[in-house]
Amino acid sequence: MAAAPASGTGSAPRRSGHACGGAAGAAMDWERARSTARDGAGAPLPAVARPLADALGHALAAPLTALADLPSFDTSAMDGWAVAGPGPWRLRGGGILAGDRPEPLAYGTAVPIATGAPVPAGASAVLRREHGEAGESGGLLSDRSGGTGSPVPGRDVRPRGQECRAGDALLPAGTTVTAGVLGLAAAAGYDRLAVHRRPRVELLLLGDELLESGTPGDGRVRDALGPLLAPWLRAVGAEVVGRRAVPDGLGLLRAAVRDSAADVVITTGGTAGPVDFLHDALDGVGARLLVDGVAVRPGHPMLLAELPPAADGRARRLVGLPGNPLAAVAGTATLAVPLLRRLGGHADAPPLRTVCAAPLPGHARDTRLLPVRRAGDGVVPLPFDGPAMLRGLACADGLAVVPPGGTDTGAAVEVLAAPGP
């Protein structure tokens, strides 16, 4: 299917009789479109219990609270000796390693101890190895650190509960489970986490001109969006359950949309122009359009629709992306990412704002999403930023949200994350 021009010029007029579309109207403001995508998601998907190894990338469905004190016992912060009272100290035989259950330490005595080992009852501090000196016979230990001759009580001991107490709230619901969150959850005593189910996504790549492999030519182009979108969608919390090419044709597209079992169907191409089958297909399945065109360049012919529920009653949505690659990226950032993050239960992150280290060119009337890279204390625009180009995006650190008319050097600008991971 021919790629929709990012500017929207040359698009076929909207059919006024469409139940899902209605008469043509002004394109929706970019920020309003993003809010509509978030709000159109409704409630996050249900909570499920996952082993720690399977929870990465999900969002917490409940606050993470500590199941035990951290640490759960007084712990040595250094290799050295546990000491009781002022020195010098009589050395006790053996030593204490991590995992041991030491006997109480008598006043005036010391015992070797390893980092992370439990501090015995009766110990007042830990004397670091580099600060201690044992007599030739090994009978007495002295503090040679140059201080008072004895470490301050509590020195180099991590007291029980220093990080948290059992029942303390560690992280709120909606937190994305990262590697760091998994480590904290394990330390706090968790084997499984309550997380929101990932939204299942199916990619429908529309058009007769798409090649799955080989060199483009003779009117055929390589599918760039399948390889680009699938890992990006996974990185924002989706489960990509299918990716298939759909040849041009209303019946094939209508059937693919109607029969998809995914929570979110994402189509590429066919949102405008002479082979716009998508609006007719949405009409044919009884969809309701929530967004039909956004005042953003590139990518303004994007759309968002509410599909009829699945056979099991699950709500379904469809995001229609333009076919030009950078325009499709703009549509994904505008509609698909907010929708998927809300469905997955992820908390909204505050916008990332930075300054322009050079002027950022804008569109005369609409918001522009512009590939930029970091330079010095701000961001600068990249070349090869046309709606059908990906060369600039491949070098980008993010997409600057440029207001109509552009920005000057030193102005503040919001920057969206570039496609990941």
Side-chain angles (χ1 to χ4, degrees):
M1 184 175 291
S7 65
T9 58
S11 61
R14 194 71 73 234
R15 278 76 64 197
S16 61
H18 277 204
C20 69
M28 186 178 289
D29 173 78
W30 180 77
E31 188 54 61
R32 183 182 167 205
R34 294 186 81 203
S35 298
T36 300
R38 287 190 293 265
D39 297 343
L45 294 172
V48 292
R50 292 279 188 265
L52 293 187
D54 298 332
L56 187 67
H58 291 254
L60 294 178
L64 187 73
T65 58
L67 301 181
D69 297 343
L70 287 182
S72 55
F73 47 82
D74 291 349
T75 305
S76 176
M78 292 287 172
D79 290 336
W81 295 266
V83 298
W89 304 271
R90 287 180 293 104
L91 280 169
R92 199 179 77 184
I96 305 171
L97 302 177
D100 287 349
R101 295 183 177 181
E103 297 292 329
L105 191 61
Y107 189 80
T109 63
V111 63
I113 193 168
T115 301
V119 174
S124 55
V126 169
L127 178 66
R128 299 185 183 194
R129 181 176 299 279
E130 59 268 29
H131 294 166
E133 182 179 341
E136 291 185 5
S137 64
L140 287 177
L141 173 69
S142 300
D143 183 353
R144 300 302 186 192
S145 63
T148 61
S150 296
V152 175
R155 173 69 59 82
D156 291 326
V157 174
R158 292 185 62 221
R160 176 174 181 168
Q162 182 184 51
E163 187 169 0
C164 64
R165 290 290 184 180
D168 284 353
L170 303 178
L171 295 170
T175 299
T176 300
V177 179
T178 62
V181 171
L182 290 179
L184 176 62
Y190 285 85
D191 299 315
R192 301 171 69 84
L193 289 176
V195 295
H196 290 286
R197 178 173 69 77
R198 290 178 182 267
R200 292 189 288 266
V201 172
E202 183 175 20
L203 282 172
L204 302 181
L205 310 168
L206 313 185
D208 292 335
E209 76 279 13
L210 299 179
L211 291 171
E212 293 281 341
S213 61
T215 305
D218 297 327
R220 306 291 299 279
V221 298
R222 278 294 298 272
D223 166 37
L225 292 177
L228 187 159
L229 292 177
W232 187 11
L233 298 173
R234 293 187 187 101
V236 298
E239 179 186 355
V240 180
V241 296
R243 169 183 153 190
R244 54 181 165 138
V246 179
D248 288 333
L250 174 59
L252 293 172
L253 178 56
R254 184 172 55 221
V257 171
R258 181 193 63 217
D259 299 337
S260 177
D263 301 300
V264 178
V265 178
I266 296 181
T267 63
T268 64
T271 55
V275 284
D276 169 9
F277 295 112
L278 185 55
H279 284 84
D280 287 328
L282 292 174
D283 275 351
V285 300
R288 183 171 71 94
L289 277 176
L290 304 177
V291 176
D292 192 11
V294 179
V296 66
R297 308 299 171 109
H300 95 275
M302 66 184 76
L303 63 83
L304 171 65
E306 182 181 279
L307 298 175
D312 59 4
R314 286 182 296 106
R316 298 189 304 145
R317 287 92 174 165
L318 180 141
V319 176
L321 304 176
N324 277 329
L326 191 58
V329 167
T332 303
T334 302
L335 297 178
V337 171
L339 173 71
L340 294 170
R341 298 293 286 177
R342 181 62 61 86
L343 284 174
H346 299 271
D348 290 337
L352 173 63
R353 298 188 68 83
T354 187
V355 299
C356 302
L360 301 184
H363 186 267
R365 300 176 306 277
D366 296 342
T367 299
R368 186 180 184 192
L369 299 185
L370 182 68
V372 293
R373 63 177 175 83
R374 290 186 293 271
D377 296 329
V379 293
V380 297
L382 287 162
F384 306 105
D385 60 1
M389 297 180 178
L390 288 175
R391 189 170 168 184
L393 182 71
C395 301
D397 295 314
L399 296 170
V401 182
V402 183
T407 63
D408 296 326
T409 301
V413 66
E414 181 179 356
V415 177
L416 307 177

